[in-house]
Amino acid sequence: MPMLQSIRWENGIVYILDQRLLPEKIEYLKCTHYEEIARAIENLAIRGAPAIGIAAAFSVAVTSYKSQALSGKKLLDELNTVFQRLIKTRPTAVNIKWAVERMKTLIINNLNLSVSELKGLIVEEALKIHQEDIEINRTIGEYSLPLFKDGCTVMTYCNAGSLATGGFGTATAGMYLAKQKGIKFKVIACETRPLLQGARITVFELSEAGIDVTLIADNTAGVLLTKDMVDFVIVGTDRTVQNGDVANKIGTYSLAVLSNENKIPFYIAAPTSSIDLSIPSGDMIPIEERSSDEVTTIRGVRIAPQGVKVINLAFDVTPAKYVTAIITEKGVFLPKHIKYINSDDKLQKLRVRL
């Protein structure tokens, strides 16, 4: 597994790798209060749908760990404030809501326990969510591994790597496993404007792992796809909905259309925690709009005129028709079958081979 972790728990303290400083600095934020973690999520010190889901679980754990509540009911009342705060941090990524609901359900179902026992259960569940994510990522990697052949080239976008998750990553998990097996392949990473997660984070972590990676400007992708320089594209997702539409970092939609036009397979790596079956189609996914400063400045240096109007959408939605397949820890599925992800009997028949 990659050496750096995006987040870890140590005796009631949450350590978050400050990804805003990468690749120049490796520095961890020491968080002892849920508000510190919430702000780290909002300002992208930690980012990536699975990673911020883990951060949400740890927010609940750190609050309960330090709580002076004398009953389970009082503890739940205290944590309701935490739940509400977390849900507001990043509205597009469904993993936060998923983690909050999982933690809340656990607490409600165990209010009969002593406060001490309940606190221990909460911390245990948060750690379990973290460990499960690592295992889920590895399984996604095993399902995507058949894509990797000697001499192949894969393109990816933004960062769906180990630092966006508990470890291994989603889109990058197959890359790490292919590297372990000695498969010779190349990765082309798009820079990902405006915050350059591809340039700063994906290229950093793949280079550290000894994977052959080349960085390109986002608007170079189309040319390379027309020249048969890419065998397939694989990206992550912040939310995949019932009909197979996918919300991911802004620019994913453009890359999917270009891939489709040039008959290049376009894959989504999606842990089931990022699949939201409560929403029927992508046009109903809430899209976060962020500060104009992210577009008008780079690392504090202004690159646009003062007062210019800016649209800074953090995500876009790729319609299911542009997605070749969705790779999950439960197998590989066509987008139209993702609505059956919780029906294990049907899943056995609906899996596809890569």
Side-chain angles (χ1 to χ4, degrees):
M1 194 172 79
M3 295 295 292
L4 283 178
Q5 282 188 293
S6 59
I7 188 169
R8 70 179 190 272
W9 169 277
E10 289 184 11
N11 301 318
I13 300 171
V14 179
Y15 291 91
I16 290 175
L17 178 65
D18 192 341
Q19 297 187 33
R20 297 168 300 178
L21 305 179
L22 293 176
E24 289 90 352
K25 291 183 181 179
I26 296 174
E27 188 174 298
Y28 281 85
L29 302 174
K30 181 179 178 181
C31 303
T32 58
H33 192 278
Y34 76 86
E35 181 60 30
E36 294 172 317
I37 301 174
R39 286 199 300 267
I41 294 170
E42 286 175 332
N43 64 31
L44 305 184
I46 185 167
R47 25 71 50 207
I52 60 179
I54 296 165
F58 281 158
S59 296
V60 178
V62 79
T63 304
S64 63
Y65 188 89
K66 298 179 182 301
S67 174
Q68 300 299 311
L70 298 178
S71 69
K73 177 66 166 58
K74 290 291 186 183
L75 179 58
L76 179 58
D77 289 344
E78 184 179 335
L79 289 172
N80 277 328
T81 301
V82 182
F83 299 149
Q84 292 169 16
R85 174 71 176 98
L86 291 168
I87 291 296
K88 294 177 182 177
T89 54
R90 301 291 307 276
T92 303
V94 75
N95 295 64
I96 292 177
K97 181 182 177 183
W98 169 86
V100 163
E101 290 180 348
R102 176 166 164 174
M103 298 298 284
K104 188 174 185 178
T105 299
L106 173 85
I107 296 164
I108 291 171
N109 289 342
N110 290 280
L111 287 176
N112 60 312
L113 297 179
S114 70
V115 178
S116 177
E117 289 174 319
L118 185 55
K119 286 181 178 181
L121 200 62
I122 290 169
V123 172
E124 183 182 308
E125 188 73 3
L127 291 169
K128 185 178 178 182
I129 286 173
H130 190 189
Q131 186 58 41
E132 283 177 0
D133 186 67
I134 296 171
E135 294 166 1
I136 285 168
N137 294 339
R138 186 178 182 90
T139 304
I140 289 173
E142 290 168 352
Y143 277 116
S144 60
L145 189 57
L147 292 171
F148 292 84
K149 314 291 185 185
D150 273 323
C152 78
T153 298
V154 52
M155 181 177 287
T156 191
Y157 189 74
C158 194
N159 174 257
S162 63
L163 297 180
T165 65
F168 282 107
T170 54
T172 62
M175 300 176 195
Y176 285 116
L177 296 185
K179 171 71 175 176
Q180 288 176 4
K181 290 183 176 296
I183 298 171
K184 306 296 183 185
F185 66 96
K186 296 179 180 180
V187 178
I188 295 175
C190 300
E191 62 181 346
T192 322
R193 278 286 290 151
L195 294 178
L196 302 171
Q197 294 97 326
R200 295 187 303 103
I201 304 174
T202 299
V203 171
F204 168 72
E205 69 167 84
L206 294 182
S207 298
E208 288 288 298
I211 291 173
D212 186 344
V213 58
T214 299
L215 174 66
I216 62 168
D218 292 345
N219 50 14
T220 304
V223 174
L224 301 189
L225 291 170
T226 66
K227 294 182 178 297
D228 294 326
M229 294 177 67
V230 178
D231 293 287
F232 65 95
V233 178
I234 186 167
V235 301
T237 172
D238 287 81
R239 188 184 305 221
T240 298
V241 296
Q242 193 179 126
N243 70 343
D245 291 350
V246 175
N248 195 48
K249 182 56 58 186
I250 190 77
T252 302
Y253 166 66
S254 304
L255 188 56
V257 173
L258 288 167
S259 298
N260 189 264
E261 174 67 19
N262 290 283
K263 297 180 174 53
I264 305 296
F266 186 88
Y267 298 103
I268 300 293
T272 53
S273 61
S274 66
I275 295 173
D276 183 2
L277 297 182
S278 72
I279 293 182
S281 64
D283 56 3
M284 298 177 67
I285 299 174
I287 299 298
E288 176 184 0
E289 186 162 5
R290 295 182 60 83
S291 167
S292 62
D293 291 344
E294 293 180 351
V295 176
T296 60
T297 65
I298 297 179
R299 294 291 177 96
V301 177
R302 190 165 189 89
I303 60 170
Q306 291 285 351
V308 66
K309 291 186 286 186
V310 173
I311 296 174
N312 183 21
L313 301 176
F315 303 94
D316 57 26
V317 175
T318 298
K321 65 181 180 179
Y322 295 119
V323 177
T324 305
I326 298 174
I327 306 170
T328 78
E329 76 273 20
K330 293 187 177 183
V332 183
F333 304 96
L334 299 177
K336 65 181 179 180
H337 291 148
I338 209 68
K339 61 186 174 183
Y340 301 115
I341 200 70
N342 293 325
S343 305
D344 289 338
D345 54 334
K346 290 186 178 182
L347 285 188
Q348 299 291 339
K349 300 175 183 178
L350 297 176
R351 287 195 183 103
V352 297
R353 294 175 65 110
L354 293 177

